[in-house]
Amino acid sequence: MASPANANMNAVRETMDVLLEISRLLNTGLDMESLSICVRLCEQGINPEALSSVIKELRRASDSLKASENGTSQG
Amino acid sequence: MAHWSRFEKELELETRRLISHFTSIQDEEDQNFQMTLKFAWSNFKFHSFLDVNRHNVQRSINGIHEKLMVHSDLSKAESWLRLTEEFLSSPLPNTEGTKSDVHYSVVALLLHLSDSPSNTNYCERPRLKETEKEDEFDWAKYLMEGEDIDTGPFPDTPEWSEDESEEEDRQQPLSREDSGIQVDRTPQEDHEQNDKTVQVTWTVGEPDSRAWLEQHIVTSYWVPNSPRFPHSLHLHSNLYNVWDQHLYNTGPLYLPEEKSFVTETQVIRETLWLFSGVKKLFIFQHNDGKVTVRNDVVVTHLTNNCLRSVLEHIAAYGQAVSRLQKFIDEVTDHSAEPCPPGLNSSSSSKKSSDPPFRTYQAFVWALYKYFTSFKEELNTIEKDVIAKDETVTLSSVLERLSPHLAQITMLHRVFCIGVADVPPGMPHVLRASHLLNTLYKAIIEYDSVGEASEQSVALLFSLWVETVRPYLEIVDEWIVHGHLFDPAKEFIIQRNKDVPVNHRDFWYATYTLYSVSETVESEERLSDAASGSSGGEQASSSRQHTMVSFLKPVLKQIIMAGKSMQLLRNLDCKETEQKSLYTLFLESVQTRLRHGEESPTNTVTKQQATKKSLIKMQSIVARHLELDDIHDPLLAINFARLYLEQNDFHEKFSGGNVILDRSSESVTCQTFELTLRSCLYPHIERRYIECCGNLMRTLKKVYRLLGYLQAMRNYFLLEAGDTMYDFYTAIFDKVLEKESWQQLAFLNVQLQEAVGQRHPEDSNRLSIFLETIDPARKKQPVNNLDGLTLSYKVPWPVDIVISSECQKIYNQVFLLLLQIKWAKYSLDTLRFSDLTVAAKTQEGGQSEESTAKEPINQQIHRMFLLRVKLMHFVNSLHNYIMTRILHSTGLEFQHQVQEAKDLDQLIKIHYRYLSTIHDRCLLREKVSFVKEAIMKVLNLVLIFSDRWQAGFGAWKIESIDKMESDFKNCHMFLGTILNKAVCRGSFPHSHIYIYIYIYICVCVRV
């Protein structure tokens, strides 16, 4: 029967909804997809602090990259 | 990378996703991507961070919550706590169990990534989103756990684990940085702010516990911008929103206002509080004694207007309750403690200018008792609400309270008319009697409605019975002990202080009857001076005064009994101990009502006196009734009240022998006036008969009232003929002998001699005076006796009846009688020989002269004839007055005196007797012309006898002619006058004139 799996799916979906709410409340800037990636990573034992520092670094790098790209395209 | 485990493969896959997601570099072979991947890997694998500590995470969660609270983001704070809790107890895709380390690490991750949530919260966008989302979430929850919606405004009370409390305890000293909130200013200030927003002083020490309490015990709906309680999204529960939305959609100008949402339970609770007299409420606001409904209060399942109309209805009742409550407080504040009426009105502290008097105190006491029962009812309802055994809605509460509310409306109306509308500065007597009248009228008014208002009448009646207590006690004190004790001057009759009891004016001038005119509403001071209490009575009936209407039918009896009692007390008569009037009244009311309503229990009732047995009896009665299949809701109510009020005040306060079943007062009293007539008036009537009978007996036996009345008749009306004959003949002889008789000593000696022989006991009471009279009036010989005044010293209580005014009238009659007696005496003492002898001597001397005119014999014969005519006139008059008038009236009077019931009646009888004889002796001003004619005749008689005495020759023949013609004229005059009067019937006492007329006819024929 698929119903327990379904129920589990629903439960997980709800959990993710809650998580998204928390994330929004905290103004983390994560969307649903990134959130699910993070959850999976955490589940695999990645240290959250390390993960957060990576994410921050990635964002910064991405931002600077975009800025430089914009700058080059404009230039 | 073949040696990589599956785990590491997955991890790498996720890492790649992460990088591609965040950097949007889709090409994995890109150099940048690879560099990034390497960076991420190295960070993941070779970091120096500690493992996630769930306690730290929990602390951070609480820290953020607190921070949000500090920023007054109450709704957000609440959502935060709820969401994290929810998340921690939800399953994750690949992790078993809840609240695992993974959960905490995810939360920790988010915390690390968070970007000053308190700052961003200030912009509205995320907030709106959140609430919507939240609603969705709650909706799901509602579907899952449908019962949660009934748990009230705080369905998400967290499990209070010891862990948490410990954490909270420990969290206190930690710095703000722990909360993960980066923008963090002056925590001290924020803390204070927090306190301010809450505005409630909790005794719980820790601010966190307090916050928790604020969150979970009750939603602080009274705080502006308080968080809204979660509630169902079902259409029925959202009528307000739907309607609001509708208005918003249809009206372009519709401006949605800020509203405070409350639950119906809260409304019910506030309603109950309002009714129990609480002033500081949120939904209902007190402004200068007025209760208004707050505008912005809404419940979710009703439209604004609907709720408002219901609440305004309640507010009106609340206002009535608070007004009555205020009155109760005002009155009870004056006296040191709530005490029964009748004890300390005089000693009540003089805090303000207007200390309450006993009637108000009694009224307040009755109100207080009613409110006690009302509050008990409110308490039961509140308990029901708390117990949640059944659904309690506002309308069901109102339904339950509706009889009480109707009664409160009625009480408030009575209060407004009877107490509040009375302008300040009115004397107590007016206020008290006005209150009693209002209650009385209200009872009659409701009573006439019939069965529809049985309960109202029952309540009013019990109020009235309580309120009337001081009055009845005053009456009782007065008519039983002869002491009008009314320190607050509230009774309609007031004692005039300056008249001592043993004064002869006591009976008339001691008491003042106050009465209130309904139309004029002004004070009337009716001093019952002229004719005792009857003056007041007449005035009250003619002007439709309403001074305490319930006492009106027996007012005269009360006054009479009171005065008699006071008099009796001063005559040292022994008092008999009795039950108080109020007790008697209550007892008869009970018997009457029980007789009417509970006839099957009558026999049982009489046997059982004590309270306990009464309760027992009631259960027996109830069973009885069930057996007989009698369904009597009224009876049921009575029983209920009986139980409620059994802890009654009588044993506490009346401190007497009164054992009362108070339920009887709540029984409706069909035909209230009949009840009074059968329960109150007979007691007063009986007391009146007792008192007055006693007084009359005492006066007659101990104080010889009848003896004194007889003495008055004896001496003033010459009934003691022999005694008075001795007295007046001595005077008349002196006059005949032309000696001066107007010496006080001579007159008194004569009087004492005459009286002392036959009535020695009266000799020292009687004395005679001579009043100086205007000499102009003494022209006529008959007026010679004017100024002769008899005086009889009447001892004290009897002089109330035989007053000096009475003696004046007696004296007038006495003088008239003396004049008639004198005329009669002077005619009687004439001797024929005087004339015949004189005639013979004359005949010898002057025979010739006389033949020229008229023979002497003929003259003498004319004199004889005239004398006989005059004698006939005087004798007839004398007989008529002495027998027809004085004697017969006297007999009548004696008969009436025997039957007189009270002193007032006796006085009236005496007065009537005096005025009758005064009238019939023609002493009234109106018929003075008749009297003058008679006086002329009497004068003629005196002149005639004087000439006769002088002897033949001392007068001329013309004077005989003149006397004859004078007499004839008087005759004619009297004849025509009386004839006319009788024909016209203009004189009220025409029968007197008929007598005189008959007599005159006889005279004329002679």
Side-chain angles (χ1 to χ4, degrees):
Chain A
M1 291 295 284
S3 57
N6 271 350
N8 194 33
M9 277 299 291
N10 281 338
V12 169
R13 199 166 290 146
E14 266 172 39
T15 312
M16 290 311 290
D17 283 342
V18 174
L19 204 55
L20 184 64
E21 281 308 313
I22 295 174
S23 153
R24 282 194 175 150
L25 199 147
L26 288 176
N27 197 25
T28 54
L30 298 178
D31 56 10
M32 194 50 138
E33 195 184 343
S34 51
L35 207 54
S36 51
I37 295 168
C38 289
V39 169
R40 275 197 291 269
L41 281 170
C42 283
E43 275 181 321
Q44 281 162 9
I46 302 298
N47 185 294
E49 212 165 342
L51 181 55
S52 74
S53 64
V54 167
I55 290 172
K56 282 176 190 165
E57 196 58 38
L58 287 178
R59 277 177 178 165
R60 202 171 49 236
S62 154
D63 285 349
S64 57
L65 193 65
K66 274 175 191 165
S68 63
E69 274 175 8
N70 284 345
T72 49
S73 62
Q74 278 171 8
Chain B
M1 293 195 182
H3 63 275
W4 277 18
S5 65
R6 185 170 157 253
F7 169 75
E8 281 175 319
K9 275 182 187 164
E10 279 181 12
L11 189 59
E12 203 202 337
L13 190 66
E14 289 301 324
T15 317
R16 282 171 187 275
R17 275 187 199 163
L18 180 78
I19 292 165
S20 65
H21 184 78
F22 276 99
T23 56
S24 26
I25 305 170
Q26 300 305 324
D27 184 8
E28 290 188 7
E29 302 308 315
D30 188 341
Q31 192 187 352
N32 283 337
F33 189 89
Q34 289 300 331
M35 275 172 66
T36 318
L37 186 62
K38 219 179 261 179
F39 167 77
W41 265 119
S42 68
N43 264 300
F44 287 164
K45 284 185 174 169
F46 313 105
H47 61 83
S48 57
F49 300 114
L50 292 175
D51 277 353
V52 176
N53 180 343
R54 61 170 65 198
H55 295 301
N56 282 340
V57 173
Q58 189 62 53
R59 234 173 282 141
S60 301
I61 291 172
N62 291 336
I64 287 187
H65 174 249
E66 193 181 342
K67 188 73 192 171
L68 291 172
M69 290 294 288
V70 166
H71 283 272
S72 300
D73 268 341
L74 295 181
S75 62
K76 183 156 286 184
E78 196 236 7
S79 322
W80 165 246
L81 263 196
R82 194 155 37 81
L83 288 169
T84 47
E85 187 63 25
E86 184 86 8
F87 170 71
L88 289 175
S89 50
S90 303
L92 282 173
N94 300 313
T95 312
E96 281 186 9
T98 55
K99 294 200 175 176
S100 63
D101 283 345
V102 178
H103 283 87
Y104 283 102
S105 35
V106 171
V107 175
L109 171 71
L110 293 181
L111 286 174
H112 285 303
L113 287 175
S114 72
D115 185 17
S116 64
S118 55
N119 257 6
T120 47
N121 283 343
Y122 289 115
C123 55
E124 307 88 4
R125 197 188 61 87
R127 244 167 120 188
L128 279 172
K129 253 188 174 176
E130 261 171 53
T131 42
E132 277 170 25
K133 287 285 179 187
E134 215 177 302
D135 283 347
E136 269 176 31
F137 162 72
D138 280 343
W139 174 239
K141 195 178 154 208
Y142 169 65
L143 285 178
M144 240 169 28
E145 313 167 12
E147 289 164 64
D148 272 10
I149 200 70
D150 287 333
T151 56
F154 28 87
D156 50 344
T157 308
E159 293 153 63
W160 183 270
S161 69
E162 280 190 19
D163 276 355
E164 271 177 356
S165 57
E166 275 171 28
E167 278 165 19
E168 278 172 7
D169 289 348
R170 267 182 281 135
Q171 189 211 344
Q172 191 73 5
L174 288 180
S175 70
R176 291 283 147 164
E177 278 73 26
D178 272 0
S179 65
I181 299 169
Q182 278 125 28
V183 183
D184 191 9
R185 295 161 303 212
T186 54
Q188 290 289 329
E189 270 178 29
D190 284 357
H191 199 117
E192 282 165 20
Q193 223 177 4
N194 187 14
D195 279 350
K196 269 184 216 160
T197 7
V198 174
Q199 283 182 338
V200 185
T201 48
W202 298 90
T203 45
V204 185
E206 288 77 21
D208 285 308
S209 329
R210 194 164 67 198
W212 187 90
L213 279 176
E214 283 158 15
Q215 290 294 309
H216 295 95
I217 296 302
V218 69
T219 317
S220 38
Y221 57 88
W222 53 88
V223 178
N225 296 324
S226 59
R228 273 181 63 178
F229 52 89
H231 66 93
S232 157
L233 282 183
H234 192 274
L235 182 65
H236 292 166
S237 327
N238 280 293
L239 189 60
Y240 172 75
N241 282 336
V242 172
W243 179 247
D244 207 43
Q245 191 61 43
H246 170 73
L247 287 180
Y248 183 74
N249 291 340
T250 50
L253 293 177
Y254 176 72
L255 191 68
E257 293 160 17
E258 189 69 23
K259 299 285 185 191
S260 306
F261 282 87
V262 291
T263 60
E264 184 156 345
T265 320
Q266 284 159 354
V267 176
I268 291 172
R269 214 176 316 155
E270 290 231 347
T271 304
L272 294 178
W273 290 341
L274 176 75
F275 286 155
S276 48
V278 177
K279 293 231 165 103
K280 238 181 154 180
L281 292 171
F282 176 69
I283 299 176
F284 302 99
Q285 291 175 316
H286 283 255
N287 293 322
D288 302 333
K290 283 198 170 176
V291 178
T292 50
V293 184
R294 215 185 165 85
N295 268 327
D296 55 351
V297 170
V298 286
V299 291
T300 54
H301 56 283
L302 287 177
T303 64
N304 195 11
N305 287 340
C306 176
L307 178 72
R308 204 176 158 72
S309 71
V310 175
L311 290 186
E312 265 167 4
H313 202 55
I314 294 171
Y317 290 123
Q319 191 169 328
V321 170
S322 81
R323 183 70 190 92
L324 290 171
Q325 195 75 45
K326 196 178 152 210
F327 175 64
I328 292 176
D329 292 344
E330 275 169 9
V331 173
T332 45
D333 276 354
H334 268 281
S335 43
E337 53 188 2
C339 62
L343 291 177
N344 71 335
S345 64
S346 59
S347 61
S348 65
S349 55
K350 291 177 180 170
K351 274 183 203 163
S352 81
S353 56
D354 192 18
F357 42 96
R358 288 195 294 171
T359 306
Y360 270 19
Q361 284 178 353
F363 180 58
V364 160
W365 178 245
L367 279 181
Y368 175 76
K369 277 201 294 185
Y370 171 73
F371 270 103
T372 314
S373 72
F374 178 54
K375 278 175 189 167
E376 269 169 31
E377 175 73 19
L378 291 178
N379 274 346
T380 347
I381 294 177
E382 193 158 6
K383 272 180 198 157
D384 287 354
V385 173
I386 291 168
K388 289 184 184 168
D389 285 340
E390 54 189 32
T391 313
V392 182
T393 62
L394 189 58
S395 65
S396 76
V397 168
L398 288 182
E399 179 124 357
R400 227 168 123 176
L401 285 177
S402 65
H404 273 292
L405 294 179
Q407 285 172 341
I408 280 177
T409 319
M410 180 189 71
L411 287 183
H412 185 244
R413 220 191 69 185
V414 168
F415 166 78
C416 282
I417 300 171
V419 178
D421 287 353
V422 179
M426 278 290 196
H428 286 169
V429 53
L430 287 185
R431 287 159 171 247
S433 53
H434 182 64
L435 174 61
L436 284 170
N437 276 338
T438 313
L439 279 171
Y440 183 82
K441 272 191 216 151
I443 293 175
I444 289 177
E445 198 178 299
Y446 280 94
D447 203 26
S448 59
V449 180
E451 289 189 2
S453 61
E454 271 178 359
Q455 297 205 25
S456 310
V457 174
L459 174 66
L460 279 175
F461 185 64
S462 71
L463 273 184
W464 184 81
V465 166
E466 289 286 351
T467 313
V468 87
R469 188 179 165 153
Y471 256 53
L472 288 188
E473 278 173 353
I474 291 171
V475 169
D476 177 59
E477 177 74 19
W478 196 30
I479 66 177
V480 174
H481 304 292
H483 181 210
L484 187 62
F485 177 75
D486 180 20
K489 295 202 185 306
E490 62 195 281
F491 193 55
I492 43 168
I493 299 161
Q494 308 269 313
R495 174 89 159 83
N496 298 335
K497 289 276 176 234
D498 46 346
V499 184
V501 179
N502 53 2
H503 191 269
R504 57 170 215 87
D505 283 343
F506 163 76
W507 193 257
Y508 310 113
T510 322
Y511 293 99
T512 308
L513 175 69
Y514 289 89
S515 64
V516 188
S517 169
E518 189 70 353
T519 47
V520 191
E521 196 75 36
S522 66
E523 179 192 359
E524 301 266 346
R525 219 181 127 110
L526 296 171
S527 192
D528 43 352
S531 56
S533 61
S534 58
E537 191 193 31
Q538 275 171 7
S540 63
S541 59
S542 63
R543 293 183 216 171
Q544 288 196 329
H545 285 156
T546 57
M547 31 91 214
V548 201
S549 28
F550 80 98
L551 281 179
K552 207 151 102 185
V554 284
L555 189 64
K556 192 192 154 207
Q557 279 88 334
I558 290 175
I559 294 173
M560 293 314 305
K563 286 204 276 194
S564 305
M565 201 58 223
Q566 187 160 12
L567 199 59
L568 268 178
R569 211 174 54 124
N570 278 278
L571 298 176
D572 295 330
C573 275
K574 55 184 183 295
E575 289 174 16
T576 48
E577 271 306 311
Q578 286 189 339
K579 276 187 181 175
S580 82
L581 180 65
Y582 188 66
T583 320
L584 286 171
F585 169 57
L586 287 186
E587 278 172 5
S588 1
V589 168
Q590 257 177 315
T591 357
R592 176 183 158 82
L593 294 177
R594 201 169 288 136
H595 187 71
E597 306 275 334
E598 305 173 27
S599 43
T601 74
N602 215 356
T603 46
V604 192
T605 316
K606 276 178 188 165
Q607 292 163 4
Q608 302 192 340
T610 62
K611 210 166 68 179
K612 271 191 179 176
S613 52
L614 259 175
I615 294 176
K616 224 184 277 172
M617 178 206 71
Q618 295 296 348
S619 63
I620 297 168
V621 169
R623 248 180 282 140
H624 251 273
L625 290 173
E626 276 171 31
L627 283 178
D628 295 347
D629 200 22
I630 296 171
H631 176 67
D632 192 344
L634 188 66
L635 208 55
I637 290 164
N638 291 332
F639 292 146
R641 267 184 98 134
L642 174 80
Y643 287 110
L644 279 176
E645 297 183 13
Q646 266 308 309
N647 331 331
D648 76 54
F649 72 107
H650 273 290
E651 48 179 12
K652 265 195 237 162
F653 294 111
S654 67
N657 43 5
V658 195
I659 300 159
L660 272 175
D661 156 19
R662 290 191 39 78
S663 72
S664 59
E665 287 162 27
S666 62
V667 173
T668 185
C669 37
Q670 292 283 326
T671 51
F672 176 58
E673 278 169 289
L674 270 183
T675 309
L676 277 185
R677 202 165 293 155
S678 66
C679 298
L680 179 61
Y681 300 162
H683 295 299
I684 294 176
E685 196 85 40
R686 209 178 51 230
R687 188 65 216 156
Y688 155 75
I689 290 169
E690 222 168 89
C691 279
C692 295
N694 209 350
L695 180 67
M696 292 311 292
R697 271 195 304 281
T698 315
L699 281 180
K700 281 175 191 167
K701 287 198 179 137
V702 183
Y703 292 91
R704 295 182 47 243
L705 175 73
L706 297 181
Y708 288 112
L709 287 173
Q710 184 59 49
M712 294 307 281
R713 288 200 303 279
N714 277 350
Y715 306 123
F716 286 88
L717 307 186
L718 312 183
E719 268 187 21
D722 43 359
T723 312
M724 294 313 281
Y725 183 82
D726 288 352
F727 168 64
Y728 58 72
T729 46
I731 300 172
F732 298 157
D733 285 340
K734 276 251 178 188
V735 179
L736 276 184
E737 287 157 27
K738 309 276 189 232
E739 287 176 32
S740 159
W741 57 272
Q742 281 123 325
Q743 294 147 8
L744 215 51
F746 162 75
L747 290 171
N748 272 318
V749 167
Q750 289 301 323
L751 185 67
Q752 294 300 332
E753 264 180 23
V755 175
Q757 281 177 7
R758 294 178 183 84
H759 304 280
E761 74 278 4
D762 286 331
S763 61
N764 51 358
R765 294 193 189 282
L766 264 177
S767 56
I768 197 149
F769 295 101
L770 269 175
E771 279 173 17
T772 47
I773 304 259
D774 181 14
R777 284 186 61 197
K778 283 205 169 181
K779 275 181 192 165
Q780 306 289 335
V782 78
N783 290 334
N784 238 344
L785 292 173
D786 285 3
L788 206 60
T789 316
L790 204 57
S791 154
Y792 189 87
K793 272 187 223 134
V794 186
W796 167 57
V798 184
D799 67 355
I800 295 170
V801 183
I802 307 168
S803 60
S804 54
E805 287 84 18
C806 296
Q807 288 211 18
K808 269 181 202 153
I809 301 174
Y810 273 119
N811 258 316
Q812 287 180 19
V813 180
F814 174 64
L815 188 66
L816 178 76
L817 290 179
L818 269 191
Q819 284 166 340
I820 295 171
K821 290 274 184 192
W822 189 18
K824 187 170 145 55
Y825 184 79
S826 48
L827 279 178
D828 285 349
T829 47
L830 293 181
R831 289 184 299 262
F832 289 113
S833 56
D834 289 348
L835 280 189
T836 44
V837 172
K840 275 176 190 165
T841 51
Q842 283 252 331
E843 228 172 287
Q846 302 171 333
S847 56
E848 284 162 22
E849 283 173 38
S850 58
T851 49
K853 290 183 177 174
E854 210 174 336
I856 292 170
N857 279 341
Q858 207 173 340
Q859 279 186 34
I860 292 171
H861 184 68
R862 275 175 68 184
M863 285 292 275
F864 287 175
L865 278 181
L866 187 58
R867 182 195 169 186
V868 173
K869 276 185 189 171
L870 288 172
M871 269 182 87
H872 181 81
F873 182 96
V874 172
N875 279 338
S876 303
L877 186 68
H878 179 254
N879 277 346
Y880 168 69
I881 286 182
M882 289 307 281
T883 59
R884 291 271 185 185
I885 294 180
L886 295 182
H887 186 66
S888 61
T889 318
L891 283 180
E892 215 172 279
F893 169 64
Q894 272 170 303
H895 183 67
Q896 283 172 341
V897 165
Q898 288 298 342
E899 294 199 332
K901 270 192 230 151
D902 58 55
L903 189 53
D904 217 41
Q905 210 176 342
L906 186 71
I907 293 171
K908 245 193 264 177
I909 290 169
H910 188 230
Y911 260 107
R912 209 183 306 137
Y913 166 67
L914 283 181
S915 73
T916 310
I917 57 174
H918 186 257
D919 273 8
R920 293 188 183 174
C921 291
L922 303 171
L923 293 171
R924 255 195 329 156
E925 201 62 32
K926 209 174 173 185
V927 290
S928 57
F929 56 93
V930 184
K931 190 197 165 198
E932 258 165 38
I934 289 170
M935 280 303 162
K936 256 185 194 165
V937 177
L938 293 184
N939 220 16
L940 196 67
V941 169
L942 291 178
I943 294 166
F944 175 78
S945 79
D946 203 35
R947 294 200 175 146
W948 185 295
Q949 299 276 355
F952 192 80
W955 28 269
K956 289 175 186 167
I957 189 77
E958 288 79 22
S959 59
I960 300 178
D961 289 339
K962 192 174 184 305
M963 284 193 285
E964 278 178 341
S965 69
D966 277 356
F967 183 57
K968 205 164 193 172
N969 282 343
C970 286
H971 247 306
M972 296 296 285
F973 173 72
L974 281 173
T976 34
I977 286 291
L978 297 174
N979 209 353
K980 256 191 219 164
V982 172
C983 290
R984 262 189 300 170
S986 58
F987 294 113
H989 299 291
S990 51
H991 64 281
I992 306 170
Y993 305 108
I994 294 172
Y995 283 126
I996 298 174
Y997 181 66
I998 292 167
Y999 141 76
I1000 283 168
C1001 291
V1002 173
C1003 259
V1004 170
R1005 251 183 266 136
V1006 168

